[in-house]
């Protein structure tokens, strides 16, 4: 640097470094550098005061390059150079452009040699003017925002000055631009104001529709966290039964829900009895002293605030909720107050109210920036969702915790999809009903067991033929063993038993009447027989001939158990009525196998799924805790030659 400044050649530069370091030692080298930095600071100090604009511009550029060196900064500041820059900036345009000279002011101050408080209010106003300007170079605005952030964080007095000069509306405008760097710097300044002031107007924050960078996402998360934490005092404050305002809020809830007669004309005892009855309908556990339900903190007074907001903002929905549940049976009613208290606590846990912002998290919710009082508005949507879910689950008081778990899952799943507005959140969370939650849970369970991974599904398909053949053999074996059926006569009386079984060679069906005490009659005792080759069709339900004869007189249970086979030229039929659904499935599957058709009963599908699940689990035992990739690894290219292969055809010498 010294040699470049004095235009020395490379050879002389090397000699200078060697002589200074080797001959005089490290301490002397530092002394030489300090002397040089002092000379450099003196020259640049004079250069930025030059009447020649070209010299001034070059000096500012050089100043930007060397201001990061703390030795130079000390020398330049000792000459009051930073004040000179401030004076020039206060009176005229600083000459900043997209060149490196824009870093000069902040570069000197970053070393902490001199405090930001030494800068005048005129300097701060000038910097703020670059931020407030509607048309300005992006690089200048970015630097101005960074300088103001440093000022705000350095002292409370500078914070007051910056807050007066930079309006929140202007910062919001910077948050709307597509330039991610300006967005980030504007959010950093806003967060500095929030952290210093404790509370600043945070409404209508809008961020760009483009992808949000990691730093920007973190600032949005911190803004969300700081704002929601303003609810912490309410959340941690229990209801005070002696506070008249809080008692009035409780009674206002009751009065908005029920059209009561004038209480002034009632005796004290009658009034207390009426209030207790109505508080019970509202869902308070302690109906004689409902304030006791709100003593637990959290959620404390925040639960009362959300209930009051819902009742006053959406009176029709509130009255409908309360009156609808008041008319249900006691065990099926959804208690509004108890549900509201628990729901408020769930929302506090989801949004981590009361926890300080993390330094690493960036999981902000876009919906937060779309609405005033977003917490209360979300409560209003979710309390109605809770009532809907309660009805879908046909819940009773014993199912309260289970319903709350489902509602928590509905809210968290919907928020995970990052809805950008309350309307979108409302539509998504209502579409995620109880049956959908059950389906999602089942799918996730299967994914956790890796039964839905593509390789596992492919393995299932390969195993299916073998397992289906196993089921076919089981069905045929059952037919060979035979089954006892009841015969229904033309007089529709169950007066006889008959037995049917398949021959061991699977070519003939043998059947005949048997006595009631007979368990498994020998095949020779069954006189009637039908060759399997003569069977033409298998009929079930109302298509069976014996069901058509008694059309309209058979109940559904009998229809579900009836089946027939037709043989010869479909003029004759053998009619069955199974004793159970299991026998029906076994025989219809077995007869389908004999006819060369696919089995289609629900028992077959259930058994196939069980066998597949067991076989898959057995085969995956050795892969426990080993992730299964979705796709097979790529097959490497073949080698350029196969000279490494041993040729067995050559006779060993």
């Amino acid at each position: 640097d010294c040699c470049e400044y004095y235009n020395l050649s490379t050879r002389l530069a090397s000699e200078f470094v060697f002589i200074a370091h080797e001959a005089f030692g490290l301490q002397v080298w530092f002394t030489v550098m300090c002397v040089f930095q002092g000379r450099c600071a003196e020259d640049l100090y004079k250069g930025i005061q030059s009447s020649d604009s070209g010299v001034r511009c070059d000096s500012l550029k050089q100043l930007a390059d060397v201001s990061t060196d703390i030795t130079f900064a000390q020398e330049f500041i000792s000459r009051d150079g930073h004040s000179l820059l401030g004076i020039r900036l206060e009176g005229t345009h600083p000459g900043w452009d997209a060149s490196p000279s824009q870093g000069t002011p902040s570069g000197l101050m970053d070393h902490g040699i001199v405090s930001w408080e030494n800068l005048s209010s005129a300097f701060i106003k000038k910097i703020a003017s670059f931020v407030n300007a509607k048309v300005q170079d992006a690089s200048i605005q970015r630097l101005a925002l960074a300088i103001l952030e440093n000022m705000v964080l350095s002292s409370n007095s500078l914070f007051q000055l910056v807050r007066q000069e930079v309006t929140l509306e202007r910062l919001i405008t910077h948050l709307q631009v597509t330039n991610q760097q300006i967005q980030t710097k504007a959010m950093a300044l806003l967060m500095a104001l929030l952290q210093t002031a404790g509370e600043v107007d945070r409404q209508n924050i809008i961020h760009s529709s483009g992808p949000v960078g990691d730093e920007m996402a973190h600032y949005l998360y911190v803004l969300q966290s700081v704002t929601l934490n303003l609810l912490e005092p309410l959340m941690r404050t229990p209801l005070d039964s002696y506070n008249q305002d809080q008692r009035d809020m409780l009674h206002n809830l009751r009065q908005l829900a029920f059209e009561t007669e004038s209480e002034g004309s009632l005796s004290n005892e009658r009034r207390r009895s009426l209030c207790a009855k109505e508080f019970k309908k509202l869902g308070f556990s302690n109906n004689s002293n409902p304030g006791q339900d709100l003593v637990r903190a959290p959620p404390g007074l925040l639960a009362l605030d959300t209930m009051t907001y819902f009742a006053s903002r959406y009176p029709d929905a509130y009255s409908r909720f309360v009156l609808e549940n008041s008319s249900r049976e006691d065990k099926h009613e959804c208690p509004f107050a108890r549900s509201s208290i628990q729901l408020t606590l769930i929302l506090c846990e989801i949004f981590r109210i009361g926890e300080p912002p993390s330094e690493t998290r960036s999981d902000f919710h876009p919906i937060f920036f779309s609405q005033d009082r977003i917490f209360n508005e979300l409560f209003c949507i979710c309390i109605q969702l809770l009532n809907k879910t309660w009805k879908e689950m046909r819940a009773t008081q014993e199912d309260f915790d289970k319903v709350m778990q489902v509602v928590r899952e509905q809210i968290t799943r919907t928020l995970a999809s990052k809805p950008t507005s309350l309307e979108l959140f409302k539509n998504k969370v209502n579409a995620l009903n109880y049956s959908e939650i059950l389906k999602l849970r089942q799918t996730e369970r299967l994914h956790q067991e890796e039964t839905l991974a593509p390789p596992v599904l492919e393995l299932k398909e390969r195993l299916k033929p073998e397992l289906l053949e196993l089921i076919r053999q089981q069905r045929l074996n059952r037919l060979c063993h035979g089954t006892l059926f009841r015969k229904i006569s033309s007089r529709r009386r169950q007066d006889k038993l008959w037995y049917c079984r398949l021959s061991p060679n699977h070519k003939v069906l043998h059947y005949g009447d048997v006595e009631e005490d007979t368990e498994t009659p020998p095949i020779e005792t069954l006189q009637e027989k039908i060759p399997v080759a003569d069977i033409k069709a298998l009929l079930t339900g109302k298509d069976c001939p014996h069901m058509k004869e008694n059309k309209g007189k058979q109940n559904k249970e009998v229809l579900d158990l009836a089946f027939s086979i037709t043989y010869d030229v479909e003029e004759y039929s053998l009619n069955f009525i199974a004793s159970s659904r299991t026998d029906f499935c076994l025989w219809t599957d077995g007869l389908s196998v004999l006819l060369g058709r696919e089995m289609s009963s629900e028992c077959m599908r259930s058994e196939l799924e069980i066998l597949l699940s067991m076989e898959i689990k057995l085969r995956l035992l050795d892969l426990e805790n080993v992730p299964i990739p979705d796709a097979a690894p790529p097959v490497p290219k073949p080698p350029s030659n196969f000279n490494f292969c041993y040729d067995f055809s050559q006779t060993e010498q």
Side-chain angles (χ1 to χ4, degrees):
D1 291 339
C2 295
C3 298
E4 287 179 2
Y5 183 81
Y6 288 105
N7 297 318
L8 300 178
S9 67
T10 304
R11 182 178 61 82
L12 290 174
S14 301
E15 292 178 0
F16 179 78
V17 172
F18 180 77
I19 292 170
H21 187 271
E22 296 295 332
F24 303 106
L26 190 60
Q27 185 62 41
V28 175
W29 165 246
F30 285 144
T31 304
V32 171
M33 290 305 298
C34 290
V35 171
F36 165 72
Q37 295 289 17
R39 176 63 184 276
C40 182
E42 182 67 29
D43 290 347
L44 292 181
Y45 181 77
K46 293 177 180 178
I48 60 178
Q49 298 181 76
S50 173
S51 58
D52 188 335
S53 60
V55 174
R56 288 200 309 272
C57 184
D58 290 340
S59 298
L60 286 172
K61 289 181 179 180
Q62 279 192 325
L63 182 61
D65 291 333
V66 299
S67 62
T68 55
D69 185 276
I70 188 170
T71 305
F72 169 82
Q74 289 172 336
E75 293 292 337
F76 190 79
I77 291 173
S78 68
R79 290 166 173 76
D80 208 26
H82 63 290
S83 299
L84 177 62
L85 288 175
I87 293 170
R88 292 185 60 82
L89 187 57
E90 293 165 13
T92 61
H93 191 282
W96 294 347
D97 50 22
S99 70
S101 63
Q102 62 186 343
T104 299
S106 60
L108 290 171
M109 307 302 290
D110 287 343
H111 299 294
I113 301 170
V114 64
S115 172
W116 286 97
E117 291 183 325
N118 292 343
L119 298 173
S120 65
S121 59
F123 176 84
I124 297 174
K125 289 180 180 180
K126 190 66 177 181
I127 297 295
S129 68
F130 298 142
V131 174
N132 293 328
K134 293 184 178 180
V135 180
Q136 185 62 267
D137 190 297
S139 59
I140 294 176
Q141 286 189 329
R142 187 174 66 250
L143 174 65
L145 288 165
I147 292 174
L148 292 178
E149 179 194 359
N150 288 329
M151 290 180 179
V152 168
L153 294 174
S154 65
S155 74
N156 187 63
S157 59
L158 289 178
F159 156 72
Q160 298 294 342
L161 287 172
V162 173
R163 188 175 65 170
Q164 292 172 8
E165 295 299 326
V166 180
T167 62
L168 181 62
E169 289 75 14
R170 191 59 195 152
L171 284 179
I172 293 174
T173 302
H174 287 307
L175 290 173
Q176 298 179 30
V177 300
T178 56
N179 188 315
Q180 284 280 327
Q181 291 181 327
I182 289 183
Q183 273 191 326
T184 302
K185 293 298 181 184
M187 182 56 70
L189 175 56
L190 179 56
M191 294 314 304
L193 289 167
L194 289 173
Q195 292 172 2
T196 306
E199 183 176 1
V200 178
D201 188 1
R202 305 179 182 93
Q203 300 175 1
N204 304 321
I205 301 294
I206 303 174
H207 53 280
S208 71
S209 58
V212 178
D214 292 341
E215 188 177 2
M216 186 66 175
H218 174 69
Y219 285 134
L220 289 170
Y221 154 75
V222 174
L223 175 60
Q224 167 190 291
S225 181
V226 171
T227 304
L228 288 172
N229 276 343
L230 294 175
L231 299 173
E232 184 180 2
L234 271 180
M235 181 187 75
R236 299 200 181 281
T237 305
L239 183 136
D240 182 2
S241 300
Y242 297 100
N243 186 303
Q244 187 61 43
D245 291 338
Q246 295 173 17
R247 292 169 60 187
D248 290 344
M249 291 173 69
L250 272 175
H251 284 281
N252 189 45
L253 281 175
R254 178 181 62 83
Q255 292 166 357
L256 287 172
F258 306 103
E259 295 181 2
T260 57
E261 55 187 299
S262 177
E263 297 179 7
S265 58
L266 300 176
S267 63
N268 290 337
E269 184 177 349
R270 171 62 179 158
R271 187 185 300 111
R272 283 195 298 269
S273 174
L274 178 63
C275 289
K277 181 180 179 181
E278 291 179 345
F279 277 125
K280 182 179 180 180
K281 289 183 178 180
L282 271 177
F284 284 95
S285 301
N286 193 330
N287 54 339
S288 60
N289 186 8
Q292 290 298 315
D293 289 21
L294 295 162
V295 168
R296 186 182 63 165
L301 287 178
L302 184 57
L304 179 60
D305 181 70
T306 52
M307 286 190 284
T308 303
Y309 183 88
F310 176 54
S312 57
R313 182 71 185 271
Y314 304 100
D316 293 340
Y318 171 65
S319 298
R320 186 166 56 251
F321 186 113
V322 176
L323 296 178
E324 179 182 306
N325 285 284
S326 299
S327 60
R328 293 180 188 167
E329 297 179 20
D330 285 346
K331 65 176 183 177
H332 285 288
E333 65 180 9
C334 177
F336 171 75
R338 184 185 176 193
S339 300
S340 298
I341 293 169
Q342 190 63 28
L343 177 61
T344 304
L345 181 60
I346 287 174
L347 289 174
C348 289
E349 292 172 352
I350 291 174
F351 288 111
R352 299 176 182 271
I353 295 176
E355 297 182 16
S358 168
E359 295 182 0
T360 56
R361 294 184 61 186
S362 57
D363 52 337
F364 72 97
H365 298 289
I367 193 174
F368 171 82
F369 304 96
S370 67
Q371 182 77 34
D372 297 343
R373 303 197 69 175
I374 186 65
F375 187 89
N376 298 71
E377 289 291 340
L378 284 174
F379 171 85
C380 295
I381 294 173
C382 294
I383 192 64
Q384 296 176 78
L385 168 73
L386 192 152
N387 188 40
K388 173 174 168 287
T389 304
W390 185 281
K391 291 185 287 186
E392 290 171 352
M393 295 176 66
R394 297 183 176 88
T396 62
Q397 295 293 329
E398 290 76 14
D399 301 319
F400 181 83
D401 291 337
K402 183 180 178 182
V403 175
M404 299 311 298
Q405 289 174 1
V406 173
V407 171
R408 177 193 284 270
E409 190 171 343
Q410 289 171 314
I411 297 170
T412 52
R413 287 182 182 275
T414 305
L415 287 175
S417 66
K418 302 291 184 184
T420 55
S421 66
L422 272 175
E423 189 63 29
L424 190 58
F425 174 83
K426 182 178 181 181
N427 293 337
K428 285 188 174 184
V429 80
N430 282 309
L432 197 61
N433 53 37
Y434 179 55
S435 61
E436 287 296 318
I437 290 291
L438 293 179
K439 290 178 184 177
L440 288 170
R441 287 177 175 177
Q442 175 70 6
T443 303
E444 289 172 356
R445 184 183 65 80
L446 293 175
H447 273 295
Q448 288 175 355
E449 296 176 356
E450 294 184 324
T451 54
L452 293 183
V456 177
L457 293 177
E458 184 179 346
L459 178 60
K460 273 188 174 182
E461 291 301 318
R462 293 190 180 187
L463 292 173
K464 263 185 185 179
E466 179 183 346
L467 296 177
L468 282 171
E469 182 59 30
L470 182 65
I471 295 174
R472 290 190 194 98
Q473 291 301 322
Q474 188 270 339
R475 296 298 194 259
L476 292 175
N477 290 339
R478 181 59 185 267
L479 264 61
C480 289
H481 181 271
T483 304
L484 190 67
F485 296 95
R486 286 194 176 275
K487 183 183 293 185
I488 298 181
S489 67
S490 58
R491 298 178 182 179
R492 296 185 295 280
R493 291 186 298 108
Q494 294 184 353
D495 51 359
K496 288 186 179 181
L497 295 173
W498 63 286
Y499 202 89
C500 185
R501 63 185 296 181
L502 180 67
S503 64
N505 61 4
H506 301 167
K507 292 185 177 181
V508 180
L509 275 176
H510 296 265
Y511 65 97
D513 295 341
V514 295
E515 297 298 328
E516 188 169 356
D517 296 334
T518 305
E519 292 185 2
T520 306
I523 199 168
E524 296 81 10
T525 61
L526 303 175
Q527 301 300 319
E528 304 292 334
K529 59 184 178 179
I530 301 173
V532 172
D534 292 344
I535 298 176
K536 303 301 180 184
L538 170 65
L539 307 175
T540 59
K542 61 183 179 181
D543 295 328
C544 298
H546 58 312
M547 293 296 105
K548 289 181 179 179
E549 294 173 3
N550 302 301
K551 189 174 182 180
K553 299 180 181 179
Q554 301 292 349
N555 58 38
K556 187 177 184 302
E557 183 179 355
V558 174
L559 280 173
D560 288 341
L561 299 175
F563 63 97
S564 302
I565 54 173
T566 59
Y567 54 96
D568 287 336
V569 288
E570 300 187 4
E571 295 179 359
Y572 302 98
S573 64
L574 183 61
N575 303 318
F576 301 77
I577 295 180
S579 59
S580 66
R581 189 66 185 174
T582 301
D583 282 345
F584 174 86
C585 292
L586 291 172
W587 272 85
T588 53
D589 283 344
L591 291 171
S592 295
V593 172
L594 290 175
L595 295 174
R597 300 174 185 173
E598 294 293 331
M599 298 178 291
S600 59
S601 72
E602 63 268 23
C603 289
M604 182 277 299
R605 291 192 293 271
S606 174
E607 290 169 11
L608 178 61
E609 190 60 36
I610 292 171
L611 290 172
L612 278 172
S613 177
M614 292 173 61
E615 188 68 23
I616 289 292
K617 288 178 179 178
L618 286 172
R619 297 202 178 205
L620 296 181
L621 277 176
D622 293 336
L623 295 178
E624 189 175 0
N625 298 324
V626 176
I628 300 176
D630 290 342
V635 178
K637 294 180 180 180
S640 58
N641 62 71
F642 293 88
N643 294 338
F644 55 85
C645 293
Y646 184 78
D647 188 358
F648 287 96
S649 63
Q650 296 181 0
T651 305
E652 294 186 5
Q653 299 297 331

